[in-house]
Amino acid sequence: MALWTVAIWCFFQFWYPYHFFFQEQNQIFLCSWDYISTYFEKSGGLARLIGDFLTQFYYYLYVGAIILISCLLLIGTLLYKALRNFKVSKAVALILTLAMMTSVAVCHFSTSYRLSSTISIVGWGLLLWLVSLLPCWKKQLAVLALTILPVYLLFGLPEVKKLQGPDLILEKDFAVDCEYYFGNHDEVIHLVESSSQRTDQMIFFYNLVQAQRGELPDHLMKFTPNILGTFYKIGPETPMLTIRNMNELYWALGDMTFTERAAMMTNVFSHDNRNVRMIRRLAECNIVSGDTLAAEKYLRILDKTLIYKRWADNVRLYGKDIYQKKMQMVNRRDTITITDNAHFLMMQLLDTNSDNIVALDYILCSTLLLKDITNFKRDYDRYCIETGKPRLKTLYQEALCIWLAGTDASQEDWEKYIQRAEVFQRFQQYNQQRGSIQFKDTYWYYFDKIKAPEI
């Protein structure tokens, strides 16, 4: 039994750890009697209380898998001892015990399966073991009759899940998401570039990292179809994962109001949806926006946690220094807009601060993915030419070649916009071999051969 438990630990720790991190980020446990008392408003309160209390420690490396195998060992030990006390043979007792432990472990493949259900099984296993200690069946039935209701009220019934295999693709999504959340941008790039199967989620965070390094246009043509996140729309049916992605995008862009809108849309403070990641971001957004009173509201929530209290204290004391660069990106034109039109919001950000390279690259790359050369040229003129800060990225130079060729531009215009001789020379070569696979890394090939995303 111990060897089987070690095998389960190895799998969850080394091949499935990010499911733990995802669950921790999507709940919050407050050390407050008012909060704790709400757990006992319906049956199973003790199981949910213990489960949520332990889930907050998934934040730490190794702890998630350790908590899981500890629960499995406890379930296995209680069940095995109870079966032996009921005179079940060692072989049968061991087989049944291993089957139960495996079933519970498999349930944890799903992020919707909460630790509280496993704690519920521990509670019922404890009752079974205690009953098995009694000497005769009459006493066993009497004690069972007296205790079954209190145990139900405390531990409820475990959630019944359809058994399924591990979702390793979703695990990759969580890996990229979590590494980005932890600030490990090099690891995000490594995970995506080394993967043989890339999801939209992975590519989204890959682009987000490259944009913050000022290298989004250098990598935009690396993957097709590409996902920037600027074409997402928020609404009542929008998946929570998409809203989280949008939240990270707009934080990187400098729009501090989107997180507030997303929080209202998803009811982030409902009892079943207290999302610590969103609460942290709300605190940061209000600090960056200069609304210290609003920021304090969220920091006081985090003060009641064991894991994030120190973070809240640090942000409270040094937030202005930590987010000094981010404060320069804030949209000062309109802080109450409710639109989710990314192009409009990025224009506001750039009109406030033309040095916002993240917003600049996202607005230009978004129009290029749509093959909207006209609006690309308009935005490039407004934020690169008129500001005297031309963005001489190869991607943009290639797109400008298309506009110049399509409008029969003068030699003067060609010299004004195309300042990289190698781009012009390669464009001439492309026109002689239009659509050739050897130009697959260029925007010209994308423009001619790849279907633009539908919005």
Side-chain angles (χ1 to χ4, degrees):
M1 187 165 64
L3 289 175
W4 185 237
T5 306
V6 171
I8 293 174
W9 178 84
C10 287
F11 176 81
F12 277 93
Q13 181 56 52
F14 298 112
W15 284 279
Y16 221 64
Y18 292 100
H19 271 64
F20 293 123
F21 295 135
F22 179 83
Q23 287 185 318
E24 181 273 329
Q25 293 165 26
N26 282 277
Q27 72 122 57
I28 191 169
F29 186 87
L30 305 179
C31 297
S32 162
W33 288 114
D34 291 338
Y35 175 81
I36 291 173
S37 65
T38 62
Y39 280 92
F40 298 95
E41 294 174 352
K42 54 184 179 180
S43 62
L46 183 59
R48 292 195 305 277
L49 175 64
I50 296 173
D52 289 356
F53 175 80
L54 293 175
T55 298
Q56 68 181 318
F57 297 105
Y58 285 178
Y59 174 85
Y60 299 109
L61 189 64
Y62 299 111
V63 173
I66 290 173
I67 289 174
L68 175 58
I69 64 164
S70 298
C71 291
L72 293 179
L73 272 177
L74 189 52
I75 290 171
T77 301
L78 291 171
L79 180 59
Y80 181 80
K81 288 183 176 295
L83 291 173
R84 293 295 292 138
N85 290 338
F86 286 129
K87 309 303 181 183
V88 177
S89 68
K90 288 184 178 181
V92 173
L94 183 59
I95 291 172
L96 291 175
T97 298
L98 292 177
M100 172 60 77
M101 294 172 64
T102 303
S103 298
V104 175
V106 168
C107 286
H108 279 273
F109 289 157
S110 171
T111 55
S112 64
Y113 184 82
R114 300 177 66 174
L115 183 61
S116 57
S117 286
T118 300
I119 301 300
S120 176
I121 296 173
V122 172
W124 288 104
L126 180 61
L127 174 61
L128 183 65
W129 174 68
L130 290 174
V131 169
S132 73
L133 295 175
L134 298 174
C136 66
W137 67 270
K138 291 182 179 180
K139 290 184 178 180
Q140 291 172 350
L141 287 178
V143 171
L144 187 62
L146 291 172
T147 57
I148 193 168
L149 180 59
V151 170
Y152 171 74
L153 293 175
L154 290 174
F155 292 96
L157 295 175
E159 182 183 2
V160 178
K161 297 287 292 185
K162 181 180 178 180
L163 298 183
Q164 62 182 49
D167 192 337
L168 296 177
I169 294 178
L170 185 60
E171 175 68 10
K172 288 182 179 179
D173 283 345
F174 289 159
V176 173
D177 183 2
C178 290
E179 292 297 348
Y180 177 83
Y181 177 65
F182 297 145
N184 301 326
H185 290 183
D186 288 339
E187 183 63 17
V188 171
I189 292 175
H190 170 72
L191 285 169
V192 177
E193 292 186 345
S194 63
S195 178
S196 59
Q197 186 175 7
R198 302 178 186 90
T199 65
D200 290 351
Q201 172 89 346
M202 296 170 69
I203 294 174
F204 168 84
F205 280 104
Y206 179 86
N207 286 328
L208 197 56
V209 168
Q210 298 292 8
Q212 291 172 84
R213 295 182 170 190
E215 299 175 3
L216 178 60
D218 301 324
H219 299 273
L220 190 70
M221 296 293 100
K222 182 168 289 186
F223 306 120
T224 54
N226 209 319
I227 301 296
L228 291 179
T230 47
F231 307 138
Y232 290 147
K233 299 294 181 182
I234 186 171
E237 304 302 321
T238 305
M240 187 61 194
L241 197 59
T242 298
I243 292 175
R244 280 181 47 173
N245 288 356
M246 293 177 72
N247 186 48
E248 296 297 346
L249 171 61
Y250 283 95
W251 166 259
L253 291 172
D255 176 24
M256 299 299 112
T257 64
F258 179 82
T259 302
E260 296 279 2
R261 301 198 302 275
M264 290 186 291
M265 183 67 71
T266 57
N267 194 16
V268 70
F269 297 111
S270 67
H271 187 276
D272 295 327
N273 192 30
R274 290 190 173 101
N275 186 307
V276 69
R277 184 166 175 171
M278 185 73 81
I279 293 171
R280 283 185 61 179
R281 195 60 92 201
L282 284 163
E284 291 175 314
C285 286
N286 282 287
I287 289 172
V288 171
S289 299
D291 192 342
T292 55
L293 290 177
E296 189 61 29
K297 176 177 68 174
Y298 302 115
L299 292 174
R300 282 198 297 269
I301 296 174
L302 298 174
D303 284 339
K304 297 177 182 178
T305 68
L306 295 177
I307 305 301
Y308 294 99
K309 184 181 186 305
R310 182 178 297 179
W311 181 88
D313 289 339
N314 187 59
V315 168
R316 189 179 279 116
L317 292 173
Y318 306 110
K320 291 184 178 180
D321 295 329
I322 296 172
Y323 304 111
Q324 184 177 10
K325 290 184 179 179
K326 184 69 68 175
M327 289 177 178
Q328 299 172 4
M329 301 170 64
V330 174
N331 179 7
R332 304 295 182 187
R333 292 291 183 91
D334 181 1
T335 59
I336 61 172
T337 182
I338 61 172
T339 183
D340 62 352
N341 185 302
H343 195 277
F344 176 75
L345 293 171
M346 287 185 289
M347 286 181 67
Q348 286 189 325
L349 292 166
L350 286 166
D351 289 340
T352 298
N353 178 12
S354 61
D355 291 327
N356 188 337
I357 297 299
V358 178
L360 175 61
D361 282 339
Y362 263 98
I363 199 172
L364 295 177
C365 288
S366 295
T367 52
L368 289 182
L369 284 183
L370 294 175
K371 302 184 182 180
D372 188 353
I373 298 296
T374 300
N375 281 326
F376 164 78
K377 171 64 166 50
R378 179 202 64 191
D379 292 335
Y380 187 86
D381 281 345
R382 181 170 180 171
Y383 300 114
C384 297
I385 300 300
E386 294 175 11
T387 59
K389 304 171 185 176
R391 188 100 166 105
L392 301 180
K393 291 289 186 177
T394 298
L395 178 73
Y396 299 155
Q397 294 274 284
E398 291 173 349
L400 289 168
C401 284
I402 295 175
W403 184 87
L404 291 165
T407 57
D408 293 325
S410 64
Q411 182 65 28
E412 182 181 358
D413 282 339
W414 279 92
E415 293 174 356
K416 174 182 177 182
Y417 286 101
I418 308 304
Q419 300 184 27
R420 299 183 62 170
E422 71 276 12
V423 172
F424 181 72
Q425 292 170 1
R426 202 174 185 206
F427 183 58
Q428 291 178 313
Q429 295 171 2
Y430 178 78
N431 284 327
Q432 296 172 359
Q433 308 174 58
R434 198 175 185 109
S436 172
I437 196 69
Q438 66 176 304
F439 295 95
K440 191 176 181 179
D441 61 330
T442 69
Y443 184 70
W444 309 315
Y445 183 89
Y446 174 87
F447 190 81
D448 285 338
K449 293 293 186 177
I450 307 299
K451 183 180 179 181
E454 297 179 1
I455 59 172

